[in-house]
Amino acid sequence: MIRPVPHVGALAAYALADLGGPQTISLAQNESAFPASPTAIAAGQAAMADMPLYPDPEWPDLRLAIAEVHGLDQSNIFCGAGSMELIGCLIRAYAGQGDRVLGTDYGYAFVASAAVQVQADYVKAREVDLTVSVDDVLSAVTPKTRIVFLCNPGNPTGTVIPNAEIVRLRTSLPKNVLLVVDQAYAEFSDAEHDPAEIFAMIQRGDTVITRTFSKAYGLAGARVGWAYAPPGIGAELRKLLNPNNVSIPSQAAAAAAMRDQTHMREVVAKTAHIREAFIEDCRALGLTVPQSHTNFVLLRFSSIDQAQRADAALRAENLLMRGMGGYGLGDCLRATICAPGVMNRARDVLEGVLT
Ligand SMILES: *Cc1c(COP(=O)(O)O)cnc(C)c1O
């Protein structure tokens, strides 16, 4: 019999999202409600002509686009097949058997599975009111802690902590602990939280920032994420990335999407508008909804049973939200912001369940 190494054999299969059937409208994966910039789609299509070649392993034009828009040093930008690839490689580079990777109660589930793959222990610090608590993160640090993951804005909560709190976390952490700030949804909160303050943290040499094209840029299917990392950490990360990780059309589409900030900002504004209306509707129905700074909302029902009844009623109408039992939030469903017509249908179903 062919046997895997024991720690892989003992792993549960990665919990893939339930995607429903062909009629299903997914509000489950936080994909953008709007298409990518037309210039991004055109650039991706044009780049398909170059597909006999391998993609450039240095992502030169994509790095340049990111560096220009955010005012960053391109040599410190590292691109991945989604930020998931970057997160997985950071964990492989900086944690091993018996080490601790510290997240928070409602941190990104992928981090936990990536930690287990390297036989590290994944530990969660308490969140308070569905929001990261820097003091609780700090008190969960032990001598075995090698990496702290902070998702800001948070998924699945949608809540945000101020930049000053992230800086306080960093300056209070031991210098030998890597801090990774996952900013997958930051484009939705950049207007209120100056991104330059967070990017500047890499100058310390102990902090990495990750972002993605999967959410506000509408390119989840292209698989492009990026990290802003100090040179020493970037060199280790580079060793572990697949050398040709981002396909030619994906590099071209992402670079053009980055250069079309007008389109991205419109998407963010339209998404926020739909989100605020949906939050208001849901609160009027008696649901508890934390203020979201993302393209999704967390709906808290009065009981697990009520959340399950809502989930079943939504599914009967081919609407699929994401159950939160895996996060210990069985009384919640997470809803991605979709077109207004979809959100209105969801509200009507919820109204039927709640009244
Ligand atoms: C969607 C998401 C990502 C992005 O993953 P990609 O691999 O870039 O698509 C990262 N972190 C969190 C918390 C997310 O929700």
Side-chain angles (χ1 to χ4, degrees), residues 79-163:
C79 302
S83 44
M84 287 172 118
E85 185 191 18
L86 300 159
I87 291 167
C89 290
L90 286 166
I91 291 177
R92 277 155 62 199
Y94 291 97
Q97 188 166 15
D99 290 333
R100 281 191 167 193
V101 176
L102 177 60
T104 61
D105 262 346
Y106 313 115
Y108 191 28
F110 175 74
V111 174
S113 54
V116 176
Q117 284 178 19
V118 299
Q119 296 175 271
D121 296 316
Y122 182 70
V123 184
K124 296 175 191 177
R126 190 174 65 121
E127 293 195 27
V128 177
D129 291 335
L130 298 169
T131 306
V132 167
S133 154
V134 165
D135 289 324
D136 283 278
V137 174
L138 288 171
S139 49
V141 172
T142 74
K144 292 197 164 193
T145 305
R146 300 294 312 275
I147 313 179
V148 170
F149 271 89
L150 174 71
C151 189
N152 196 60
N155 173 15
T157 58
T159 58
V160 74
I161 63 170
N163 287 348

Side-chain angles (χ1 to χ4, degrees), residues 208-246:
V208 175
I209 319 301
T210 63
R211 288 199 175 209
T212 183
F213 287 88
S214 298
K215 308 288 160 54
Y217 290 97
L219 289 172
R223 310 306 304 126
V224 194
W226 55 283
Y228 197 50
I233 295 174
E236 304 307 321
L237 179 58
R238 196 74 188 86
K239 293 178 191 170
L240 297 175
L241 291 171
N242 176 336
N244 299 106
N245 57 355
V246 185

Side-chain angles (χ1 to χ4, degrees), residues 16 47 71 73 76 86 95 120 140 148 150 158 206 225 233 244 246 253 317 319 342:
L16 295 171
D73 178 344
N76 294 332
L86 300 159
V148 170
L150 174 71
D206 52 15
I233 295 174
N244 299 106
V246 185
E317 292 295 320
L319 299 171
V342 174

Side-chain angles (χ1 to χ4, degrees), residues 57-86:
E58 299 287 333
W59 331 277
D61 190 52
L62 175 54
R63 276 175 138 172
L64 183 65
I66 296 168
E68 283 172 355
V69 164
H70 285 287
L72 304 177
D73 178 344
Q74 17 173 340
S75 63
N76 294 332
I77 296 170
F78 298 87
C79 302
S83 44
M84 287 172 118
E85 185 191 18
L86 300 159

Side-chain angles (χ1 to χ4, degrees), residues 167-182:
V167 172
R168 181 168 79 86
L169 170 63
R170 175 64 270 181
T171 50
S172 310
L173 280 173
K175 279 193 164 357
N176 64 350
V177 172
L178 171 65
L179 174 65
V180 180
V181 186
D182 178 348

